[in-house]
Amino acid sequence: MKIDDSWRCAPALQQPVYPDPQELQKVVADLETRPPLVFAGEVDRLKQQIALAAKGESFILMGGDCAETFADSNADQIRLKIQTILQMAIVLTYGGAIPIVKMGRMAGQYAKPRSRAVEVRDGVTLPVYRGDAVNSHEFTASARTPDPRRLLEMYTHSASTINLIRAFTQGGYADIREVHRWNKGFTKNPAYARFEKLAGGVDHALRFMRAAGVDFETLRTVDFYSAHEALLLEYEHALTRVDSRTSNVYNTSAHMLWIGERTRDPQGAHVQMLAHVANPIGIKIGPGAASSDIGRLLDELNPQGEPGRITLITRFGADQVADKLPPLIEFVRADGREVTWLADPMHGNTITTATGLKTRVFGTILREVEEFFRVHRLMGSVPGGIHVELTGDDVTEVMGGGEPISEDDLTDRYETLVDPRLNHQQSLELAFLVAELLNPTLDVD
């Protein structure tokens, strides 16, 4: 069965310009022979869980790097991100008493859309850094020239990351009985102390269950899914395959793909490509989105209204949620095709310091999440999850938090190459806020 490639006739934004098209085709031909990174059954299971989140019967936690780098795709960095998401999921499970769908912006988030095609420094103009899958961050002509061989590196690093994710989450590391060990080695600050108290409550519940004869084998492993923005069209097409069992077409680069705010033109190449795969699809929705935009996207990507197929990821900015979200909720309700709503409180709240560093304010991030919940509850809709940029490291990229990071502190450990991320402590603080929003009676202080 031939994979549909009609997207090639549509406008394709945010694509690198490779100096050697023949080299690109060699790389694509190689990728087409590589094994899939995820499998159809896993994708279908995730879609079912996303459908439950639309009804309030589960809650989605999606987190990870703004842009993964090849250098940081090592066991320690991956483990810390997984651990952070698992800790956040424990807090949310405890608070909301509902299943948490755990998803990483991992194993494929190596490319980023950019607002400008070039960067100028001291009168020198070079292509902008588009992520390690495209070029290198160093400001030289050779480093910034898009290199298609990096797509093969992207595949290799994605494969090793997914392998480690499976090892950690299926090999006992994610056992809920290990919640105390996950906190080992971190300093005693407010977020960690609060997590320790919650872990004590989990331990008490587990002792009761053990005494009651509950089988703990199901607590030993967790499902953990991968997701990334489907930005580089040639890469995504090369990893699109026909499932031999069902003859359905799947993008096998990740369990879930999303389309960015800059590439969600309903007639554009990104939408047209993903219209032909069975994966769940996320769509980033910014403050400029109109109800008609949502309708056209649903027509292209989910005309039959399949549950779990479409997730709308809102990224308005804290000050615009109250105005921009209600009309979209009203439209979706009237349309009748089910969607799952996620809040991305990061991308609409980015600011730049006087010294040129991109950052975010933790209190503003929290406020967008609170507004997201408030508006959905007010309108009788379901807040289905959150989508955040985070790391398991002790970086200083987002200002504020329980141990406040000031503007002067940002340079201590500012490590991101693109957008600022929550550090481990701030991620836990956010999880406690969301747990309280899911269950206002939660008490772990």
Side-chain angles (χ1 to χ4, degrees), residues 267-281:
Q267 297 306 313
H270 293 83
V271 171
Q272 293 303 309
M273 171 184 281
L274 293 186
H276 298 285
V277 301
N279 304 62
I281 304 299

Side-chain angles (χ1 to χ4, degrees), residues 26-39:
K26 289 180 183 177
V27 167
V28 169
D30 188 339
L31 285 170
E32 289 174 342
T33 69
R34 302 283 179 109
L37 297 179
V38 301
F39 304 104

Side-chain angles (χ1 to χ4, degrees), residues 1 4 175 244 249 282 306 358 375 395 404:
M1 178 179 176
D4 188 287
D175 192 324
S244 58
V249 177
E306 178 190 6
K358 292 169 70 175
V375 170
V395 299

Side-chain angles (χ1 to χ4, degrees), residues 142-389:
S142 59
R144 289 296 179 89
T145 300
D147 182 352
R149 292 170 297 182
R150 285 177 166 269
L151 297 177
L152 296 175
E153 285 191 75
M154 176 183 180
Y155 174 89
T156 300
H157 285 289
S158 296
S160 63
T161 298
I162 285 181
N163 183 55
L164 272 172
I165 288 173
R166 289 193 170 111
F168 282 133
T169 58
Q170 301 298 313
Y173 183 84
D175 192 324
I176 196 173
R177 292 166 290 184
E178 300 294 324
V179 288
H180 278 302
R181 186 165 65 86
W182 295 343
N183 218 33
K184 187 177 180 181
F186 291 107
T187 58
K188 291 294 182 183
N189 57 44
Y192 302 141
R194 199 175 185 193
F195 184 84
E196 277 295 306
K197 183 168 183 180
L198 182 146
V202 172
D203 280 347
H204 179 79
L206 291 173
R207 287 196 298 271
F208 170 81
M209 293 165 64
R210 185 181 296 111
V214 172
D215 179 8
F216 281 104
E217 190 57 32
T218 57
L219 302 179
R220 189 172 180 272
T221 64
V222 299
D223 290 331
F224 195 105
Y225 301 99
S226 66
H228 65 256
E229 180 175 358
L231 185 63
L232 301 178
L233 295 165
E234 294 289 359
Y235 179 84
E236 302 300 341
H237 183 73
L239 287 170
T240 299
R241 311 287 165 78
V242 179
D243 178 48
S244 58
R245 181 177 57 88
T246 63
S247 295
N248 291 331
V249 177
Y250 291 84
N251 181 312
T252 66
S253 71
H255 298 102
M256 178 181 181
L257 292 309
W258 76 81
I259 303 167
E261 170 79 351
R262 295 181 177 95
T263 54
R264 60 171 172 78
D265 176 2
Q267 297 306 313
H270 293 83
V271 171
Q272 293 303 309
M273 171 184 281
L274 293 186
H276 298 285
V277 301
N279 304 62
I281 304 299
I283 308 170
K284 289 291 189 80
I285 301 296
S291 297
S292 58
D293 297 330
I294 305 298
R296 292 167 62 208
L297 285 163
L298 292 178
D299 289 344
E300 295 293 332
L301 293 168
N302 197 25
Q304 303 304 316
E306 178 190 6
R309 165 70 169 169
I310 298 297
T311 298
L312 298 181
I313 308 170
T314 60
R315 40 160 295 176
F316 296 130
D319 294 333
Q320 300 199 64
V321 177
D323 290 332
K324 302 297 184 179
L325 183 54
L328 301 185
I329 293 174
E330 288 283 9
F331 174 83
V332 168
R333 178 183 290 122
D335 178 86
R337 287 175 287 193
E338 183 180 278
V339 305
T340 305
W341 295 94
L342 264 63
D344 170 359
M346 310 294 290
H347 287 90
N349 297 305
T350 305
I351 59 175
T352 303
T353 69
T355 58
L357 281 180
K358 292 169 70 175
T359 188
R360 289 150 177 161
V361 178
F362 187 64
T364 309
I365 291 169
L366 298 186
R367 187 155 55 85
E368 177 148 355
V369 175
E370 290 172 331
E371 281 291 280
F372 174 77
F373 270 81
R374 185 187 67 81
V375 170
H376 276 287
R377 296 271 168 78
L378 184 66
M379 300 191 66
S381 184
V382 176
I386 58 171
H387 175 116
V388 292
E389 292 180 334

Side-chain angles (χ1 to χ4, degrees), residues 38 46 60-70 72-73 77-86 88 101-114 130-131 154 157-158 161-162 165 223-231 236 253-262 282-285 313-315 342-348 350 358 360 386-392 397 416-422 427 430:
V38 301
L46 173 60
I60 298 168
L61 171 62
M62 185 188 301
D65 276 315
C66 163
E68 294 176 285
T69 64
F70 296 159
D72 289 338
S73 294
Q77 298 276 26
I78 294 166
R79 176 182 57 81
L80 286 172
K81 278 182 279 192
I82 293 171
Q83 177 176 292
T84 300
I85 294 170
L86 291 175
M88 294 175 73
V101 182
K102 293 165 278 292
M103 209 179 315
R105 287 174 54 111
M106 298 169 66
Q109 187 62 9
Y110 292 100
K112 288 286 290 184
R114 306 309 303 266
R130 291 184 177 273
M154 176 183 180
H157 285 289
S158 296
T161 298
I162 285 181
I165 288 173
D223 290 331
F224 195 105
Y225 301 99
S226 66
H228 65 256
E229 180 175 358
L231 185 63
E236 302 300 341
S253 71
H255 298 102
M256 178 181 181
L257 292 309
W258 76 81
I259 303 167
E261 170 79 351
R262 295 181 177 95
I283 308 170
K284 289 291 189 80
I285 301 296
I313 308 170
T314 60
R315 40 160 295 176
L342 264 63
D344 170 359
M346 310 294 290
H347 287 90
T350 305
K358 292 169 70 175
R360 289 150 177 161
I386 58 171
H387 175 116
V388 292
E389 292 180 334
L390 59 81
T391 176
E397 297 171 2
T416 182
L417 298 182
V418 187
D419 287 340
R421 306 158 295 173
L422 300 176
S427 299
L430 175 61

